[in-house]
Amino acid sequence: MTQHDSHARTALVVVAHHRTDSLTAHTARRAAARLEAAGYRIDLLDLHAEGFDPRMNMSDQPDWGNREKAYSEEAHAHMQRIIDADVVVAVFPVYWQNVPAILKGWIDRVWNYGFAYGRSKPRLAGKRMLWLGLAGATADDPIVKGMQAVLETNLSEGIAYYCGFSHSTVGLLTDAEERPQRVDAEGNLLIGEAVAGAEREAQYADLDRRAREFVEGLVAEGLVAV
């Protein structure tokens, strides 16, 4: 695999949602626009739109005795897109305090042995990662603290840093639903009335502001690294 030009700045923005009109897709487009304004070339990867199959197969099953294994053409094409990127931004809805199956499958098949890990000098060393997860929980829900901890452990420690990334941030964006959700002490899901009008506009403006701050932090980290 060819390494990318060290003077070019490319952002791979990965969208993991089945609807193009979703808040997740909107957040990904806004993130891409801000990165582009900061001077990045954008590679927008919509996993559903591109028909990515998240299921592991024989071609992409890692061979622990052969880190030079030639994986499928599809996996190699995605590997090259990661190689060509200086930063990777994954935007997704939080399902069960984790990423959706299509994003997990992308990591399983593409961030594979011999490519993303399993070498004394990681191929992804020095790259930066931002995980933007949209959650239906309200900001004051006690579950949020644990959700943040789980995501940071799984995504930053278990994946990004394990694969050599120099910087990884989990941006948990709560209050993503128009109807507030929380779980009470007995485990019941409580769904409130839908917000509307000015209150709704303010809620989503605040979510967009928080997402923008995470993206700006990623950009600033790159300037420090330079």
Side-chain angles (χ1 to χ4, degrees), residues 49-167:
E50 295 195 16
F52 182 80
D53 186 351
R55 298 173 298 178
M56 181 56 76
N57 54 56
M58 290 296 294
S59 296
D60 295 325
Q61 179 179 335
D63 181 348
W64 308 122
N66 177 21
R67 67 182 185 185
E68 306 299 336
K69 177 179 176 177
Y71 295 108
S72 68
E73 291 185 5
E74 181 181 28
H76 273 280
H78 283 266
M79 289 174 184
Q80 189 63 56
R81 292 170 79 168
I82 299 172
I83 286 290
D84 290 341
D86 297 276
V87 300
V88 180
V89 180
V91 190
F92 56 93
V94 177
Y95 293 163
W96 296 106
Q97 303 199 39
N98 210 326
V99 299
I102 195 166
L103 181 56
K104 179 58 165 60
W106 181 69
I107 294 168
D108 289 345
R109 286 186 59 202
V110 179
W111 298 43
N112 217 324
Y113 177 67
F115 166 67
Y117 64 96
R119 293 182 179 276
S120 57
K121 184 178 180 181
R123 284 176 166 155
L124 307 184
K127 297 182 185 295
R128 290 171 290 122
M129 183 86 205
L130 173 60
W131 310 85
L132 285 178
L134 284 74
T138 57
D140 62 347
D141 191 324
I143 198 175
V144 170
K145 183 178 180 180
M147 185 184 300
Q148 179 79 40
V150 168
L151 290 171
E152 287 180 352
T153 299
N154 288 344
L155 304 180
S156 286
E157 296 180 22
I159 298 176
Y161 291 139
Y162 185 74
C163 294
F165 278 71
S166 62
H167 182 83

